[in-house]
Amino acid sequence: MTVLNTPLNGQMSKAEIGDWVSALLQDMFELDAAAITPEANLYTDLDIDSIDAVDIVVKLNQTTGKRIQPEVFRSVRTVGDVVEVLAVLLQE
């Protein structure tokens, strides 16, 4: 069973959420796992563009069943930021 098959929930640690986000980015964009670190900038380090960012938000909304506010995701720059946003969202 892959990490992506694990349902996201409020009981997950940030490390588990980070592993899930890493697997998602690898799956969606065929990125090298070694490049996906908490400090990796989505745009400059991982070459994710604004359309890709929208795709990520849509996938996260579908997966969590919750809605990430666009203004919240606009502040996201790094993989760690994605993990933080998800951790807060899952606690709601």
Side-chain angles (χ1 to χ4, degrees):
M1 181 158 123
T2 69
V3 173
L4 285 179
N5 290 335
T6 304
L8 289 171
N9 64 66
Q11 306 305 313
M12 295 176 83
S13 70
K14 285 187 182 175
E16 291 170 319
I17 295 170
D19 289 344
W20 191 92
V21 169
S22 177
L24 176 71
L25 294 173
Q26 290 172 57
D27 184 61
M28 288 181 75
F29 305 110
E30 298 179 1
L31 296 171
D32 179 13
I36 305 171
T37 65
E39 302 80 24
N41 185 294
L42 297 173
Y43 307 102
T44 58
D45 297 331
L46 302 179
D47 292 325
I48 291 173
D49 63 25
S50 59
I51 301 297
D52 294 336
V54 169
D55 291 341
I56 292 169
V57 171
V58 168
K59 182 68 172 178
L60 295 177
N61 287 343
Q62 290 172 340
T63 304
T64 63
K66 300 181 180 195
R67 186 168 187 271
I68 297 172
Q69 298 302 318
E71 61 274 6
V72 170
F73 207 80
R74 266 188 229 113
S75 67
V76 168
R77 294 285 174 266
T78 67
V79 173
D81 292 342
V82 175
V83 172
E84 286 297 324
V85 166
L86 266 178
V88 170
L89 189 69
L90 291 172
Q91 294 301 316
E92 293 177 350

